[in-house]
Amino acid sequence: MHAPYGGVVPEIAARAHLQTLVPVIERALENASTRWEQVDGIAVTRGPGLVGCLLVGVNLAQAIAWARKLPVIGVSHLAAHVFAAQLEEPELRPPVLGLVVSGGHSDLIRWQADGGITVIGRTRDDAAGEAFDKGARILGLPFPGGPAIDSLAAKGDPRAVRFPRPRAPGLDFSFSGVKTALLYEVRKRKSISDQARADLAASYQEAIVDALLQRVEAAQAEYPAPTIVLGGGVARNRRLREAAQARLGQRTHLVIPAPELCTDNAAMIGAAALVEWERRGPDPAPFDADPSLSFS
Ligand code: KG4
Ligand code: ZN
């Protein structure tokens, strides 16, 4: 739906939520061979995100909860990317150091022993996923750009071009410089062969992955934690998964959920609800969507 526009169109997304949500819920129950009578509560994303989509979700969740006399809890989409790790390792407990890299966020967080989440690093400009998506557009690749760069990069040489490693002060990220460097690199060439495009994709991906892991290493030095968790759509990236294993996995317990639990999914919202439920119980309805919600 969004591909012809080269990005997500909020209006189209909100309408699609309205049209597909009820059939999707019915199909999910059917696939899980579950009846409504077996459902103990409803979990829903309260934010952050596009307000139109969030409103459809929080209103439907509260309507079902009211009609079925079920408790309902609204959770943070970002925290859910961290808690997705518990679907892989149910015994996983904080303290945890986490990297959440998605289309809208690049955050380094500490999931503390008391259950709270604090942000210790964030992006100063583009998110990592945005850097992938915009880089893909510069390279003439289809939307969404992350998966396109990931597959093309597999055929390229990551050392072909040395892109600057994006740095920002402290534990923050910055990706606009590397994106501009890619743009200049493409502009200065008259034509780009398939191999050259693959080399550029691989080199660009390498710069982003290196910058991400460098910050995780710095965060681990400053706030040592027994476990590191990666989450968000960009954590699907094969080079990131492989390099994280090599650079962090030797010394620390590293959890990178299965690819389908890294991209946006409803299972992680359920996982987040279980964690939050233990801390604070259900939400009193009515509650509102919060497009700028952080980790809690
Ligand atoms: O978490 P997510 O599914 O949605 C948001 O919450 O934003 O993340 C989507 C982002 C997009 O920018 C997409 O290009 C990126 O994740 N992404 C990837 C890969 N798969 C998805 N980036 C790099 N490599 C991938 N394989
Ligand atoms: Zn996400």
Side-chain angles (χ1 to χ4, degrees):
M1 282 175 174
H2 302 290
Y5 305 93
V8 172
V9 184
E11 269 300 310
I12 294 179
R15 257 165 225 254
H17 274 62
L18 205 51
Q19 284 162 352
T20 51
L21 215 45
V22 171
V24 162
I25 292 170
E26 282 169 346
R27 198 172 342 142
L29 285 169
E30 202 181 298
N31 289 352
S33 306
T34 302
R35 285 173 290 109
W36 273 112
E37 292 67 37
Q38 295 168 277
V39 174
D40 295 319
I42 314 275
V44 64
T45 307
R46 209 156 65 77
L50 297 171
V51 71
C53 303
L54 294 170
L55 277 173
V56 174
V58 295
N59 286 315
L60 182 64
Q62 288 175 85
I64 296 174
W66 181 77
R68 299 251 165 214
K69 300 193 172 42
L70 289 170
V72 58
I73 183 164
V75 299
S76 155
H77 174 97
L78 294 174
H81 273 309
V82 179
F83 298 146
Q86 271 193 338
L87 296 168
E88 293 293 359
E89 292 194 11
E91 298 310 315
L92 180 70
R93 292 290 176 274
V96 164
L97 180 69
L99 174 71
V100 176
V101 270
S102 69
H105 290 266
S106 300
D107 290 320
L108 269 168
I109 59 99
R110 291 170 73 203
W111 175 14
Q112 290 144 200
D114 68 3
I117 292 184
T118 348
V119 180
I120 53 173
R122 55 177 63 73
T123 183
R124 298 281 174 116
D125 37 60
D126 292 341
E130 222 175 337
F132 271 104
D133 294 335
K134 289 179 178 170
R137 201 177 309 168
I138 294 170
L139 289 170
L141 301 174
F143 174 85
I149 290 193
D150 191 343
S151 359
L152 185 61
K155 299 175 209 141
D157 175 5
R159 283 151 309 177
V161 181
R162 170 89 194 170
F163 285 113
R165 270 32 180 176
R167 286 269 169 101
L171 293 172
D172 284 354
F173 299 100
S174 166
F175 293 106
S176 63
V178 65
K179 180 190 65 190
T180 310
L182 174 68
L183 183 67
Y184 288 153
E185 192 62 40
V186 167
R187 274 195 191 152
K188 89 178 181 209
R189 302 176 185 215
K190 282 198 194 72
S191 67
I192 299 178
S193 66
D194 287 349
Q195 188 55 52
R197 184 171 280 110
D199 289 345
L200 285 169
S203 304
Y204 182 68
Q205 172 177 272
E206 196 64 20
I208 297 175
V209 166
D210 191 20
L212 289 173
L213 294 179
Q214 191 275 332
R215 280 294 183 265
V216 179
E217 284 164 346
Q220 177 67 335
E222 205 168 321
Y223 306 100
T227 306
I228 297 179
V229 162
L230 263 51
V234 178
R236 281 187 82 106
N237 184 270
R238 285 173 292 172
R239 178 65 191 134
L240 177 61
R241 298 172 80 91
E242 175 192 280
Q245 219 33 274
R247 284 169 67 165
L248 310 165
Q250 316 293 336
R251 282 165 286 155
T252 318
H253 179 49
L254 176 68
V255 187
I256 315 177
E260 62 274 21
L261 295 174
C262 288
T263 348
D264 289 355
N265 65 87
M268 72 181 193
I269 304 304
L274 289 178
V275 176
E276 292 290 325
W277 197 280
E278 269 180 30
R279 288 184 71 207
R280 60 180 171 91
D283 280 321
F287 61 86
D288 207 355
D290 183 353
S292 50
L293 185 69
S294 183
F295 282 81
S296 60

